[in-house]
Coordinates of all heavy atoms in Angstrom, one line a residue:
N70 N -10.7 -120.9 -242.0 CA -10.4 -119.4 -241.8 C -10.8 -119.0 -240.4 O -10.2 -118.1 -239.9 CB -11.2 -118.7 -242.9 CG -10.5 -118.8 -244.3 OD1 -9.3 -119.1 -244.4 ND2 -11.3 -118.7 -245.3
F71 N -12.0 -119.5 -239.9 CA -12.4 -119.1 -238.6 C -11.4 -119.5 -237.6 O -11.0 -118.7 -236.7 CB -13.7 -119.8 -238.3 CG -14.1 -119.7 -236.9 CD1 -14.7 -118.6 -236.3 CD2 -14.0 -120.8 -236.0 CE1 -15.0 -118.5 -235.0 CE2 -14.3 -120.7 -234.7 CZ -14.9 -119.5 -234.2
L72 N -10.8 -120.7 -237.7 CA -9.8 -121.1 -236.7 C -8.6 -120.2 -236.8 O -8.0 -119.8 -235.7 CB -9.4 -122.6 -237.0 CG -10.4 -123.7 -236.8 CD1 -9.9 -125.0 -237.3 CD2 -10.7 -123.8 -235.3
K73 N -8.1 -119.9 -238.0 CA -6.9 -119.0 -238.1 C -7.2 -117.6 -237.6 O -6.4 -117.1 -236.8 CB -6.6 -118.9 -239.6 CG -6.0 -120.2 -240.2 CD -5.7 -120.0 -241.7 CE -5.1 -121.2 -242.3 NZ -4.8 -121.1 -243.7
N74 N -8.4 -117.1 -237.9 CA -8.7 -115.8 -237.4 C -8.8 -115.8 -235.8 O -8.4 -114.8 -235.2 CB -10.0 -115.3 -238.0 CG -9.9 -114.9 -239.4 OD1 -8.8 -114.6 -239.9 ND2 -10.9 -115.0 -240.2
Q75 N -9.4 -116.8 -235.3 CA -9.6 -116.9 -233.8 C -8.2 -116.9 -233.1 O -8.0 -116.3 -232.1 CB -10.5 -118.1 -233.5 CG -10.9 -118.1 -232.0 CD -11.8 -117.0 -231.6 OE1 -12.5 -116.4 -232.4 NE2 -11.9 -116.8 -230.3
I76 N -7.3 -117.7 -233.7 CA -6.0 -117.8 -233.1 C -5.3 -116.5 -233.2 O -4.7 -116.0 -232.2 CB -5.2 -118.9 -233.8 CG1 -5.8 -120.3 -233.5 CG2 -3.7 -118.9 -233.4 CD1 -5.3 -121.4 -234.4
Q77 N -5.3 -115.9 -234.3 CA -4.7 -114.6 -234.5 C -5.3 -113.5 -233.6 O -4.5 -112.7 -233.0 CB -4.8 -114.1 -236.0 CG -4.2 -112.8 -236.3 CD -4.4 -112.4 -237.8 OE1 -5.3 -113.0 -238.4 NE2 -3.6 -111.5 -238.3
N78 N -6.6 -113.4 -233.5 CA -7.2 -112.4 -232.6 C -6.9 -112.7 -231.2 O -6.6 -111.7 -230.4 CB -8.7 -112.4 -232.8 CG -9.1 -111.9 -234.2 OD1 -8.4 -111.2 -234.8 ND2 -10.3 -112.2 -234.6
A79 N -6.9 -113.9 -230.7 CA -6.5 -114.2 -229.4 C -5.1 -113.8 -229.0 O -4.9 -113.3 -228.0 CB -6.8 -115.7 -229.1
K80 N -4.2 -114.1 -229.9 CA -2.8 -113.7 -229.7 C -2.7 -112.2 -229.6 O -1.9 -111.7 -228.8 CB -1.9 -114.3 -230.8 CG -1.7 -115.8 -230.6 CD -0.8 -116.3 -231.7 CE -0.6 -117.8 -231.5 NZ 0.3 -118.4 -232.6
K81 N -3.4 -111.5 -230.5 CA -3.4 -110.0 -230.4 C -3.9 -109.5 -229.1 O -3.3 -108.6 -228.5 CB -4.2 -109.5 -231.6 CG -4.2 -108.0 -231.7 CD -5.1 -107.5 -232.8 CE -5.3 -106.0 -232.8 NZ -6.3 -105.5 -233.7
V82 N -5.0 -110.0 -228.6 CA -5.6 -109.5 -227.4 C -4.6 -109.9 -226.2 O -4.5 -109.1 -225.3 CB -7.0 -110.1 -227.2 CG1 -7.5 -109.9 -225.8 CG2 -8.0 -109.6 -228.2
M83 N -4.0 -111.0 -226.3 CA -3.0 -111.4 -225.2 C -1.9 -110.4 -225.1 O -1.3 -110.2 -224.0 CB -2.5 -112.8 -225.4 CG -3.5 -113.9 -225.0 SD -3.0 -115.6 -225.4 CE -1.3 -115.6 -225.0
K84 N -1.5 -109.8 -226.2 CA -0.4 -108.8 -226.2 C -0.9 -107.5 -225.6 O -0.1 -106.8 -225.0 CB 0.1 -108.5 -227.6 CG 0.9 -109.7 -228.2 CD 1.4 -109.4 -229.6 CE 2.1 -110.5 -230.2 NZ 2.6 -110.3 -231.5
E85 N -2.2 -107.2 -225.7 CA -2.7 -105.9 -225.3 C -3.2 -106.0 -223.8 O -3.2 -105.0 -223.1 CB -3.9 -105.5 -226.1 CG -3.6 -105.3 -227.6 CD -4.8 -105.1 -228.5 OE1 -5.9 -105.1 -227.9 OE2 -4.6 -105.0 -229.7
I86 N -3.7 -107.2 -223.4 CA -4.4 -107.3 -222.1 C -3.7 -108.5 -221.4 O -3.5 -109.5 -222.0 CB -5.9 -107.6 -222.3 CG1 -6.5 -106.5 -223.1 CG2 -6.6 -107.7 -220.9 CD1 -7.9 -106.8 -223.6
P87 N -3.5 -108.3 -220.1 CA -2.9 -109.5 -219.3 C -3.9 -110.6 -219.1 O -4.5 -110.8 -218.0 CB -2.5 -108.8 -218.0 CG -3.4 -107.7 -217.8 CD -3.7 -107.2 -219.2
V88 N -4.2 -111.3 -220.1 CA -5.1 -112.5 -220.1 C -4.5 -113.6 -220.9 O -3.7 -113.4 -221.8 CB -6.5 -112.1 -220.6 CG1 -6.4 -111.7 -222.1 CG2 -7.5 -113.2 -220.4
S89 N -4.8 -114.9 -220.5 CA -4.2 -116.0 -221.2 C -5.3 -116.8 -221.9 O -6.2 -117.2 -221.3 CB -3.4 -116.9 -220.2 OG -2.9 -118.0 -220.9
F90 N -5.0 -117.0 -223.2 CA -5.8 -117.9 -224.0 C -5.0 -119.1 -224.5 O -5.3 -119.7 -225.5 CB -6.4 -117.2 -225.2 CG -7.4 -116.1 -224.8 CD1 -7.2 -114.8 -225.2 CD2 -8.6 -116.4 -224.2 CE1 -8.1 -113.8 -224.9 CE2 -9.5 -115.4 -223.9 CZ -9.2 -114.1 -224.2
E91 N -3.9 -119.4 -223.8 CA -3.0 -120.4 -224.3 C -3.6 -121.8 -224.5 O -3.4 -122.4 -225.5 CB -1.8 -120.5 -223.3 CG -0.9 -119.3 -223.2 CD -0.2 -119.0 -224.5 OE1 0.1 -119.9 -225.3 OE2 0.1 -117.8 -224.7
K92 N -4.4 -122.2 -223.6 CA -5.1 -123.5 -223.7 C -6.0 -123.6 -224.9 O -6.0 -124.5 -225.7 CB -5.8 -123.9 -222.5 CG -5.0 -124.2 -221.3 CD -5.8 -124.6 -220.1 CE -4.9 -124.8 -218.9 NZ -5.7 -125.2 -217.7
Q93 N -6.8 -122.5 -225.1 CA -7.7 -122.4 -226.2 C -7.0 -122.3 -227.5 O -7.4 -123.0 -228.5 CB -8.7 -121.2 -226.0 CG -9.6 -121.3 -224.8 CD -9.0 -120.7 -223.6 OE1 -7.8 -120.5 -223.4 NE2 -9.9 -120.4 -222.6

């Protein structure tokens, strides 16, 4: 669940802010 939430939150933040978490 932590992994799923982390992926989901990172994708959400990437849509809002010009930052990349692609590798992570």
Side-chain angles (χ1 to χ4, degrees):
N70 288 335
F71 169 76
L72 293 171
K73 288 178 181 179
N74 288 335
Q75 188 66 20
I76 291 166
Q77 182 181 16
N78 291 339
K80 287 180 178 180
K81 180 183 174 190
V82 168
M83 284 175 39
K84 288 180 182 178
E85 299 171 5
I86 303 170
V88 63
S89 177
F90 295 118
E91 294 296 333
K92 290 180 183 179
Q93 294 90 341

